[in-house]
């Protein structure tokens, strides 16, 4: 059996006045029915990686790769129309801040129904029924009221649950979660993560969890890719993150304060130019290995 | 006073439905705005170095005649009293008589305003119909040849003097080709054959069912309306483009794309749904500008509209006509503002 998703030598670059800027440089990784974390600082290319998989890099950005295969089928060879059947239907994405990622002038119910009706070719009534039950699944107490509400009437946590409902309603195989909790309060973060975790497990989906939060990723994912300056510098199992060897990962881990072992002086990350020049580490795993 | 009013409302909140309160507060705003506008026009009328009495009785009138007229106009009363008399007159639609036409100003306005209204409405209709899609297209295909063409079209619209395009248009399409009617609203032959129902010949001729007159009216309005449409198109398409670019950059657009929606759905349902909100204001303002009467266009096409009416009145110190015209223009602005506010609330749930 092949991997759910396999990406080979993915590059995303932007032509600028001072030459070409490469946001993502020749990275390779695979995704099975697992939870894969991508960790890195701002600008390390992790969000671009997520968008590149959906082929949503805005012009003038350029997307290059040997292949991006979804169950063996190369997404790069699809026409834009075929690609639209993949988006939402097979690969979906949750974005950072529901305040900006929901359309402010459209009713929440309509926004959720929209994708479902498109992919399932469902009637209005059917879509509404499905939407209401989906809202219940993400633990929204009063689905009927939320269905008719507008995004500005919702809190951040509610908004993100709506986003999850919206992205999972066409039953995709892969969910990309791009910093889904960083705009939320810490208490709400946990709730949202738990809902997402439960749904992903139940449905046997693959999850790409993009975050800058090492703690969340190590607790939540099976496997982690650590990105730095557009490359994957290290890859390891999430529960073995503390055994990481790359100086960048070690530096990151050392700069996290720990409640049980307080230190007077947290280490400052010392950067090395060589990190951004080293070739990317492959994140491809054969399916047998994970199983 | 406003504060008292508000707390009074609060006590009664349970009994008055919110929509009624909305209408009430809107009417209150309109009233205040109109009184303010009338006050300013009144003051302008009084500080103008024109003696309204002399304008009526003439320079060679005797002292007694002058004084009689002076009293008849109420000029001997305190300014505030005069203002209230002015308000009462206007509330009854009485703007006095025009010096130039020797008819009540209100009658003149009923004649000239529909002409401008007809022209401005047709112009704005086509300006919006073409300008909005052009702006959307220019934004979506940013940097493409369509965007460049849209830019040049708008630039020409901004920079070409209207009298020049108007005259050339008349020369070519009326003078040489004979495709359209010349200046004026109708051929001489048809003038006075249309009953004055709404004052808009296009509507009136349809109401009386005379297609010949209707077609003739169209052949006359087409060029001036096209000209005005072009100018509003230039403005509206540019504004649409910039609003659209702003919206296309938002995160919810990515969400819509992630859902797998077609480009059309993303652009028209999602982005344009948000562009409608600011666009309403832009269109209302552009429409209001045309309703003021575009003097140059009306002059070139001998279009008896409110723009040329006010200008002529101003140049001949016909103050009653000027004040009446100003009040109408002000009223149009207020009404359009209310209308765009209502639409705004309709399009943007956050404004409720």
């Amino acid at each position: 059996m092949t991997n759910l998703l396999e990406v080979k030598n993915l590059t995303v670059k932007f032509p600028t006045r001072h030459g070409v800027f490469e946001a993502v440089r020749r990275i390779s990784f695979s995704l099975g029915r697992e939870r894969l974390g991508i960790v890195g600082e701002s600008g390390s290319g992790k969000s671009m990686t997520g968008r590149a998989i959906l082929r949503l890099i805005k012009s003038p950005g350029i997307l290059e790769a040997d292949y991006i295969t979804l169950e063996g089928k190369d997404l790069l060879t699809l026409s834009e129309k075929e690609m639209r059947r993949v988006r939402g239907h097979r690969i979906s994405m949750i974005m950072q801040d529901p305040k900006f990622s929901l359309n402010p002038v459209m009713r929440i119910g309509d926004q959720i129904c929209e994708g479902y009706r498109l992919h399932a070719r469902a009637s209005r009534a059917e879509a509404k029924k499905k939407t209401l039950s989906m809202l219940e699944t993400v633990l929204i107490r009063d689905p009927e009221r939320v269905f008719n509400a507008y995004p500005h009437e919702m809190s951040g946590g509610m908004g993100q649950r709506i986003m999850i409902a919206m992205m999972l309603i066409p039953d995709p195989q892969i969910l990309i979660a791009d910093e889904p909790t960083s705009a939320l309060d810490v208490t709400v973060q946990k709730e949202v993560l738990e809902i997402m975790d439960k749904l992903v497990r139940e449905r046997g989906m693959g999850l790409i969890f993009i975050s800058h939060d090492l703690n969340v990723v190590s607790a939540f994912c099976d496997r982690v890719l650590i990105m730095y300056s557009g490359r994957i510098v290290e890859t390891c199992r999430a529960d073995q993150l503390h055994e990481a060897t790359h100086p960048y990962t070690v530096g990151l881990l050392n700069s996290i304060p720990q409640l049980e072992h307080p230190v007077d002086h947290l280490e400052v990350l010392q950067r090395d130019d060589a990190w951004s020049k080293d070739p990317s580490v492959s994140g491809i795993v054969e399916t047998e290995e994970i199983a | 006073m406003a504060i008292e009013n508000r707390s009074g409302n609060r006590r009664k909140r349970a009994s008055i439905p919110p929509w009624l309160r909305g209408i009430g507060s809107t009417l209150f705003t309109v009233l205040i705005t109109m009184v303010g506008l009338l006050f300013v026009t009144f003051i302008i009328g009084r500080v103008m170095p024109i003696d309204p009495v002399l304008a009526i009785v003439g320079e060679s009138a005797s002292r007694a005649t002058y004084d009689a007229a002076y009293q008849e106009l109420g000029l001997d009363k305190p300014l505030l009293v005069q203002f209230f008399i002015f308000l009462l007159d206007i509330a009854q639609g009485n703007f006095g008589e025009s010096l130039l036409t020797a008819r009540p100003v209100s009658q003149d306005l009923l004649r000239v305003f529909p002409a401008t209204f007809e022209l401005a409405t047709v112009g704005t209709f086509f300006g919006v119909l073409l300008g909005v899609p052009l702006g959307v297209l220019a934004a979506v295909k940013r940097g493409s040849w369509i965007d460049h063409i849209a830019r040049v079209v708008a630039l020409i619209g901004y920079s070409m003097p209207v009298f020049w395009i108007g005259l050339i248009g008349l020369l070519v399409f009326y003078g040489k080709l004979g495709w359209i009617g010349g200046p004026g609203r109708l051929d001489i032959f048809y003038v006075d054959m249309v009953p004055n129902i709404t004052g808009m010949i296009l509507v009136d001729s349809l109401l009386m069912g005379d297609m010949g007159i209707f077609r003739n009216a169209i052949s006359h309005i087409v060029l001036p309306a096209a000209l005005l449409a072009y100018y509003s198109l230039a403005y509206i398409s540019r504004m649409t483009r910039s609003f659209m670019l702003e919206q296309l950059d938002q995160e919810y657009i990515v969400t819509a794309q992630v859902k797998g929606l077609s480009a059309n759905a993303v652009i028209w349902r999602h982005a344009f749904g948000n562009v409608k909100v600011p666009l309403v204001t832009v269109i209302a303002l552009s429409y209001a500008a045309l309703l003021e009467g575009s003097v140059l266009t009306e002059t070139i096409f001998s279009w008896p509209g409110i723009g040329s009416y006010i200008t002529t009145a101003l140049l001949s110190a016909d103050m009653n006509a000027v004040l009446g015209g100003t009040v109408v223009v002000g009223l149009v602005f207020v009404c359009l503002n209310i209308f765009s506010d209502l639409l705004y609330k309709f399009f943007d749930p956050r404004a409720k």
Side-chain angles (χ1 to χ4, degrees):
Chain A
M1 196 190 126
T2 48
N3 275 315
L4 208 50
L5 183 81
E6 208 165 298
V7 176
K8 184 81 178 175
N9 288 337
L10 171 72
T11 300
V12 179
K13 51 190 177 186
F14 293 88
T16 66
R17 241 169 254 170
H18 315 287
V20 177
F21 171 72
E22 294 189 321
V24 178
R25 315 189 216 185
R26 299 178 67 78
I27 67 168
S28 306
F29 63 93
S30 62
L31 175 76
R33 299 191 186 281
E34 59 178 329
R35 291 164 300 172
L36 174 70
I38 301 184
V39 196
E41 58 197 19
S42 323
S44 59
K46 51 193 198 304
S47 288
M48 277 301 156
T49 306
R51 290 185 186 200
I53 293 170
L54 283 160
R55 278 183 40 195
L56 284 176
I57 302 294
K58 249 198 227 160
S59 127
I62 299 164
L63 161 67
E64 281 170 3
D66 292 355
Y67 56 78
I68 300 176
T69 52
L70 175 65
E71 291 189 316
K73 176 89 181 141
D74 191 355
L75 296 182
L76 296 176
T77 62
L78 298 184
S79 69
E80 180 58 28
K81 201 175 165 206
E82 290 168 316
M83 194 60 212
R84 284 206 302 268
R85 297 284 306 157
V86 172
R87 290 187 199 126
H89 192 45
R90 304 185 63 190
I91 308 178
S92 226
M93 181 161 79
I94 294 171
M95 270 160 306
Q96 189 168 355
D97 195 338
K99 233 192 254 110
F100 303 112
S101 51
L102 291 169
N103 186 340
V105 302
M106 222 169 141
R107 285 182 200 280
I108 288 166
D110 294 338
Q111 293 191 50
I112 302 179
C113 285
E114 195 179 39
Y116 182 68
R117 290 192 64 189
L118 183 77
H119 294 297
R121 309 233 172 264
S123 71
R124 191 175 283 271
E126 205 180 316
K128 177 166 184 183
K129 211 175 126 208
K130 176 91 178 169
T131 299
L132 289 177
S133 83
M134 197 67 215
L135 283 172
E136 263 168 37
T137 315
V138 293
L139 305 181
I140 281 174
R141 262 176 239 110
D142 193 352
E144 194 74 45
R145 186 181 69 84
V146 171
F147 188 92
N148 289 311
Y150 286 97
H152 71 276
E153 298 166 85
M154 299 289 121
S155 67
M158 288 275 266
Q160 208 57 308
R161 281 188 255 172
I162 288 162
M163 195 74 189
I164 294 175
M166 185 159 83
M167 287 308 173
L168 291 190
I169 197 169
D171 224 353
Q173 293 155 294
I174 297 175
L175 180 68
I176 301 168
D178 187 358
E179 307 244 13
T181 56
S182 40
L184 306 178
D185 287 343
V186 181
T187 45
V188 185
Q189 276 184 10
K190 199 159 166 274
E191 279 174 35
V192 170
L193 281 177
E194 276 165 3
I195 293 170
M196 203 164 71
D197 187 35
K198 183 166 163 273
L199 290 175
V200 168
R201 271 174 201 278
E202 279 174 4
R203 295 166 180 235
M205 296 166 59
L207 173 74
I208 297 179
F209 188 86
I210 298 170
S211 176
H212 61 261
D213 192 331
L214 277 172
N215 285 331
V216 171
V217 168
S218 61
F220 189 63
C221 295
D222 303 315
R223 199 154 60 91
V224 187
L225 308 177
I226 290 119
M227 284 188 74
Y228 181 78
S229 152
R231 284 157 201 255
I232 300 176
V233 291
E234 183 155 26
T235 157
C236 62
R237 284 181 51 171
D239 50 11
Q240 289 163 357
L241 194 62
H242 55 278
E243 292 163 22
T245 50
H246 193 278
Y248 176 62
T249 321
V250 175
L252 281 184
L253 288 169
N254 284 340
S255 54
I256 300 172
Q258 282 171 324
L259 208 55
E260 283 93 48
H261 312 283
V263 282
D264 291 339
H265 186 78
L266 275 177
E267 254 180 77
V268 175
L269 185 64
Q270 301 294 329
R271 285 160 202 273
D272 187 340
D273 269 352
W275 298 348
S276 47
K277 293 196 185 90
D278 291 336
S280 195
V281 177
S282 169
I284 296 181
V285 182
E286 293 314 318
T287 344
E288 290 76 354
E289 279 183 53
I290 321 166
Chain B
M1 196 175 94
I3 294 169
E4 273 173 31
N5 197 0
R6 204 169 287 164
S7 63
N9 271 349
R10 190 166 299 150
R11 242 173 276 133
K12 289 179 202 160
R13 184 157 285 178
S15 58
I16 303 174
W19 59 270
L20 199 66
R21 240 184 319 131
I23 291 177
S25 75
T26 311
L27 283 180
F28 185 70
T29 322
V30 174
L31 204 69
I32 294 290
T33 319
M34 280 315 288
V35 169
L37 175 77
L38 289 172
F39 186 70
V40 173
T41 32
F42 173 77
I43 293 296
I44 291 173
R46 287 298 178 272
V47 297
M48 286 280 273
I50 298 168
D51 190 335
V53 185
L54 268 189
I56 292 171
V57 298
E59 303 223 349
S60 53
S62 68
R63 184 77 213 171
T65 326
Y66 182 93
D67 286 345
Y70 187 81
Q71 284 200 354
E72 200 190 324
L73 287 175
L75 292 173
D76 54 335
K77 300 195 173 74
L79 212 55
L80 213 58
V81 177
Q82 285 184 39
F83 179 58
F84 277 110
I85 294 172
F86 176 73
L87 276 187
L88 279 179
D89 278 348
I90 283 179
Q92 294 162 10
N94 177 13
F95 296 96
E97 264 191 15
S98 161
L99 287 179
L100 274 178
T101 61
R103 273 183 303 197
V105 170
S106 51
Q107 272 187 26
D108 283 349
L109 289 173
L110 281 178
R111 189 170 45 80
V112 295
F113 185 68
T116 295
F117 185 75
E118 186 174 39
L119 188 58
T121 306
V122 176
T124 301
F125 178 76
F126 286 103
V128 172
L129 198 71
L130 302 171
V132 170
L134 187 67
V136 170
L137 213 60
V140 172
K141 310 247 174 214
R142 183 184 195 177
S144 71
W145 58 271
I146 284 191
D147 190 17
H148 293 306
I149 287 179
R151 177 174 296 125
V152 172
V153 164
L155 193 69
I156 294 174
Y158 277 134
S159 49
M160 285 281 218
V162 62
F163 61 87
W164 189 80
I165 301 190
L167 287 174
I168 296 293
L170 272 179
L171 184 73
V172 174
F173 295 108
Y174 173 60
K176 295 277 178 207
L177 298 170
W179 288 355
I180 58 163
R185 299 175 76 187
L186 282 173
D187 284 356
I188 302 278
F189 176 72
Y190 291 114
V191 173
D192 294 331
M193 278 174 63
V194 194
N196 191 343
I197 306 170
T198 62
M200 287 171 282
I201 292 181
L202 287 179
V203 179
D204 289 348
S205 61
L206 274 185
L207 283 178
M208 66 182 275
D210 191 328
M211 290 316 284
I213 296 184
F214 180 70
R215 268 194 295 273
N216 188 256
I218 285 195
S219 79
H220 278 265
I221 203 173
V222 68
L223 190 58
L227 223 57
L228 295 186
Y230 185 34
Y231 282 84
S232 58
L233 175 151
Y235 177 57
I236 290 171
S237 70
R238 285 283 89 183
M239 295 308 277
T240 307
R241 178 183 182 272
S242 78
F243 292 148
M244 199 69 192
L245 283 178
E246 192 189 323
Q247 293 303 324
L248 286 174
D249 237 18
Q250 303 289 321
E251 282 277 297
Y252 69 83
I253 294 296
V254 181
T255 310
Q257 287 171 328
V258 168
K259 282 196 258 184
L261 299 180
S262 67
N264 268 334
V266 172
I267 292 162
W268 289 103
R269 199 181 309 156
H270 285 270
F272 192 70
N274 283 274
V275 166
K276 268 192 282 190
V277 180
L279 205 55
V280 163
T281 315
V282 165
I283 292 173
L285 280 179
S286 140
Y287 188 34
L290 293 191
L291 280 176
E292 261 178 75
S294 24
V295 182
L296 282 173
T297 316
E298 288 178 2
T299 310
I300 290 165
F301 292 95
S302 312
W303 198 268
I306 198 167
S308 57
Y309 180 73
I310 295 181
T311 315
T312 323
L314 200 60
L315 294 177
S316 0
D318 185 355
M319 282 322 284
N320 282 341
V322 172
L323 291 189
T326 315
V327 170
V328 169
V329 169
L331 198 63
V332 163
F333 256 98
V334 173
C335 289
L336 267 177
N337 263 318
I338 294 169
F339 183 65
S340 69
D341 269 5
L342 287 178
L343 268 185
Y344 203 103
K345 280 182 191 151
F346 179 71
F347 286 143
D348 191 350
R350 285 164 298 187
K352 273 171 195 156

